[in-house]
Amino acid sequence: MKKITNDVQNVVWDMLHGFYFEHKDRISYDSKHNIIYRKDLAEIQQDVVILSGGGSGHEPAHFGYVGEGMLSIAVSGQIFIPPTPEQILAAIRMVDKNKSVLLIIKNFKADVDCFLAAESIAKKEGRSVDHVIVNDDVSIEDDVTFNKRKRGVAGTIFVQKILGAAATEGYSLQQLKEIGSSVISNLHTLGVALTPANNPTQKEVSFTLENNEVYYGIGIHGEKGYRKETFVSSEKLAIELMNKLKSIYRWKKGDKFAILINGLGATPTMEQYIFANDIRRLAQLESIDVRFFKVGSHLTSIDMKGISLSLLKIEDPNWEKWLKADVRVSSW
Amino acid sequence: MKKITNDVQNVVWDMLHGFYFEHKDRISYDSKHNIIYRKDLAEIQQDVVILSGGGSGHEPAHFGYVGEGMLSIAVSGQIFIPPTPEQILAAIRMVDKNKSVLLIIKNFKADVDCFLAAESIAKKEGRSVDHVIVNDDVSIEDDVTFNKRKRGVAGTIFVQKILGAAATEGYSLQQLKEIGSSVISNLHTLGVALTPANNPTQKEVSFTLENNEVYYGIGIHGEKGYRKETFVSSEKLAIELMNKLKSIYRWKKGDKFAILINGLGATPTMEQYIFANDIRRLAQLESIDVRFFKVGSHLTSIDMKGISLSLLKIEDPNWEKWLKADVRVSSW
């Protein structure tokens, strides 16, 4: 597997330097802690600063969402490994002590542990910090047990956008946490892989697929899915993912949704839009009201070829407003 | 090769429907002629409308650049086949007769023939139409002949951005053509493939590579390159591409450049930024002044894994201003 890298120990550092160079007019970079943050962090007017992060390998998540109207700070761990509590704490400490910080955490045990450890220390330092944990993944262990996995995956981007926009309107830390929790309880994601991810720091892939196979319900770190199946068409993938989500939402005609179609890293734009068109048709057949629709490689799994579908049932018209609000980030 | 498609005859139509659904608040779609255009086309204030297009398979080029400050209209052909003169003419006819139209054409014989045929008919209808032909590719036939290919590749995006921004400032058709020609003569691109492109409408790939090989100087339709070589590192690729471009520009210390690092379709964001960081370091070693730097999959070759490097020597400070100007499109 040829990968456009140099010393594999330095991939995250190399990448962040490249990103920083592209955006140095509006972004700053702490290369000791792998933190990308708004250059105007000291001057921003909002009371609550939104901070997120996680393992690398999910680009453009999360540094691509740093900027006005979304994240103020993103912390990057090594590939598929969350940032350490020290890194996260260093990020929290960048914020003025008279402001609050809301952490957006993807629901993986290692991520939650590291972020909450940092939060705990920051609170002891007298800081106002709280968090939301995104658990949008509705993949199941296997076809029999229906044990939901509840990992944090692509829907995280919607949470970051909504809370980022709401924060600019002056909501308090407690209010933002409640908005986030309410969004998360209405947010579900399911994905399918056509190829595994090739982690440059590991020799082995976590699963293999035959030339004609797809794998439903995979995770963003190469976690195995719930069923392998022979690939037939984009439409067939769309029907499987949509039906699973329908069984969770049990939507009624006219229910309002926001939809994210997410390429997992090596999925060409053409194929993302073909799949998006299948989802459009299925949504119309179901008579659900799609108020917001977004397509792109937003939270990836290195070079996995595959796609995920996230639905957010819109329970509050503000959510739609915040999804559509102007933003100055590189990758929204 | 699993591809997320349905009936292969409909890939372009399916894709454009998906894109239109995502952007229907600000975009319109003529599904008969595969034209994506600004919804407010009839009301836009500028005297010259910028129109581009080409074969499909290069997404998000060119529909992803339709919007305020860049293209007003994009026409899509079938995969790697330019739109027909009829399609292009239908696009030109969408514009008020009292406005002018500037066509941005990538330099492939079929593209040039189709666009100029449409221009010729439109002129006979009394319309004011002119064109620029982008020929940024400096790949050579082989290591011996040094016969330059001069195809139109990723640098086209810079031409579209600059002319799109300039058009909003009220420049005339003639002035925009001169600006475009001047930009094009300072714009050069060179690419490298790690894998070939898999065209869903064709059974065979146009070249093959061994597991450890890369191919310098490939084209965006799978055209062969000038040299195969064993893959070593991102830095090695960066040095090859940068050295070839240096031999063309023969830059002096402090010369001003805009740089585009372009993923060719299946290149993960992480690898694009690692390569970008190598280019950053080489540019600093050369002491050239990088005024603008952009990284992303902007003009692709379906699912090719690879990357291209475009340099624009900035001869006029307006070019930098126009590259940095605000824009409302999906993919800049």
Side-chain angles (χ1 to χ4, degrees), chain A residues 170-231:
Chain A
Y171 286 84
S172 70
L173 182 64
Q174 182 58 30
Q175 287 170 321
L176 290 171
K177 184 182 167 84
E178 283 164 15
I179 293 166
S181 301
S182 182
V183 166
I184 290 165
S185 64
N186 284 282
L187 178 68
H188 302 304
T189 296
L190 195 57
V192 58
L194 283 69
T195 71
N198 295 280
N199 181 341
T201 63
Q202 295 190 333
K203 284 215 173 109
E204 311 236 316
V205 293
S206 59
F207 60 81
T208 56
L209 289 173
E210 300 296 325
N211 272 337
N212 62 348
E213 269 181 342
V214 301
Y215 207 175
Y216 290 110
I218 44 70
I220 56 172
H221 308 112
E223 298 93 337
K224 290 174 184 177
Y226 61 81
R227 192 170 81 244
K228 290 183 182 177
E229 198 175 88
T230 301
F231 176 70

Side-chain angles (χ1 to χ4, degrees), chain A residues 2 22 194 213 273 295, chain B residues 2 4 22 194 213 273 295:
Chain A
K2 290 161 284 192
E22 185 184 24
L194 283 69
E213 269 181 342
Y273 278 115
V295 183
Chain B
K2 289 161 285 192
I4 305 176
E22 186 184 24
L194 283 70
E213 271 181 341
Y273 278 116
V295 183

Side-chain angles (χ1 to χ4, degrees), chain A residues 1-6 11 13-15 17-19 21-23 56-57 59-60 63 79 194 209-214 231 233-235 237 265-271 273-278 280 284 290 293-295 302-303 305 307 326 328, chain B residues 1-6 11 13-15 17-19 21-23 56-57 59-60 63 79 194 209-214 231 233-235 237 265-271 273-278 280 284 290 293-295 302-303 305 307 326 328:
Chain A
M1 193 69 193
K2 290 161 284 192
K3 300 190 80 69
I4 305 175
T5 57
N6 299 306
V11 285
W13 191 89
D14 287 350
M15 167 180 75
H17 266 69
F19 179 79
F21 187 65
E22 185 184 24
H23 298 285
S56 292
E59 297 70 30
F63 55 74
I79 293 184
L194 283 69
L209 289 173
E210 300 296 325
N211 272 337
N212 62 348
E213 269 181 342
V214 301
F231 176 70
S233 66
S234 171
E235 190 180 17
L237 304 183
T267 313
T269 299
M270 169 183 280
E271 296 177 41
Y273 278 115
I274 291 171
F275 177 84
N277 187 48
D278 289 314
R280 171 189 70 82
Q284 285 177 346
V290 182
F293 193 72
K294 193 156 190 72
V295 183
I302 310 183
D303 57 1
K305 179 163 184 179
I307 206 150
D326 280 344
R328 283 187 82 88
Chain B
M1 193 67 194
K2 289 161 285 192
K3 298 190 81 68
I4 305 176
T5 58
N6 299 306
V11 285
W13 190 90
D14 288 350
M15 165 180 76
H17 266 69
F19 179 79
F21 188 65
E22 186 184 24
H23 297 286
S56 292
E59 296 71 30
F63 54 76
I79 293 184
L194 283 70
L209 290 172
E210 300 296 327
N211 273 338
N212 62 348
E213 271 181 341
V214 300
F231 174 71
S233 66
S234 171
E235 188 179 18
L237 304 184
T267 314
T269 299
M270 168 182 280
E271 296 177 40
Y273 278 116
I274 291 172
F275 178 84
N277 187 47
D278 289 314
R280 171 189 71 81
Q284 285 177 346
V290 181
F293 194 71
K294 194 157 189 69
V295 183
I302 310 182
D303 56 1
K305 180 163 183 179
I307 207 150
D326 280 343
R328 284 186 82 86

Side-chain angles (χ1 to χ4, degrees), chain B residues 22-243:
Chain B
E22 186 184 24
H23 297 286
K24 59 187 188 306
D25 56 325
R26 61 171 192 86
I27 288 286
S28 294
Y29 171 38
D30 171 348
S31 64
K32 186 178 170 201
H33 299 101
N34 287 342
I35 301 168
I36 294 283
Y37 59 104
R38 282 176 62 170
K39 199 170 179 173
D40 61 350
L41 184 62
E43 293 98 48
I44 54 174
Q45 294 302 311
Q46 63 202 54
D47 294 333
V48 183
V49 164
I50 310 288
L51 187 161
S52 194
S56 292
H58 306 305
E59 296 71 30
H62 295 282
F63 54 76
Y65 306 112
V66 172
E68 213 175 308
M70 209 162 164
L71 305 179
S72 292
I73 310 177
V75 199
S76 295
Q78 294 303 305
I79 293 184
F80 292 170
I81 298 171
T84 62
E86 291 69 29
Q87 286 176 272
I88 301 163
L89 195 57
I92 295 171
R93 285 177 177 153
M94 284 175 168
V95 180
D96 270 6
K97 256 198 152 175
N98 61 357
K99 289 188 188 287
S100 298
V101 178
L102 183 68
L103 311 175
I104 300 179
I105 311 170
K106 297 198 296 297
N107 190 33
F108 293 93
K109 188 175 182 308
D111 286 65
V112 173
D113 288 351
C114 290
F115 275 89
L116 295 192
E119 177 182 314
S120 166
I121 298 168
K123 279 179 169 169
K124 283 178 192 145
E125 294 176 358
R127 290 177 174 274
S128 165
V129 185
D130 211 331
H131 64 270
V132 294
I133 298 175
V134 187
N135 61 358
D136 53 321
D137 187 4
V138 291
S139 176
I140 48 175
E141 291 294 339
D142 57 56
D143 253 356
V144 182
T145 62
F146 293 101
N147 185 18
K148 289 206 189 78
R149 283 172 160 156
K150 293 202 147 290
R151 301 170 288 209
V153 290
T156 306
I157 308 307
F158 273 2
V159 178
Q160 293 175 344
K161 180 66 171 72
I162 288 172
L163 292 180
T168 64
E169 292 187 4
Y171 287 84
S172 70
L173 182 65
Q174 182 58 32
Q175 287 170 320
L176 290 172
K177 185 181 166 85
E178 284 165 14
I179 293 166
S181 301
S182 184
V183 167
I184 290 165
S185 66
N186 284 284
L187 179 68
H188 302 303
T189 296
L190 196 56
V192 57
L194 283 70
T195 71
N198 295 281
N199 181 341
T201 63
Q202 295 189 335
K203 285 215 174 107
E204 311 235 315
V205 294
S206 59
F207 61 81
T208 55
L209 290 172
E210 300 296 327
N211 273 338
N212 62 348
E213 271 181 341
V214 300
Y215 207 175
Y216 290 110
I218 44 72
I220 55 171
H221 308 110
E223 297 93 337
K224 290 173 184 176
Y226 61 80
R227 193 170 80 244
K228 290 183 183 177
E229 202 175 86
T230 300
F231 174 71
V232 177
S233 66
S234 171
E235 188 179 18
K236 185 78 183 341
L237 304 184
I239 289 169
E240 167 75 17
L241 301 187
M242 201 71 173
N243 277 347

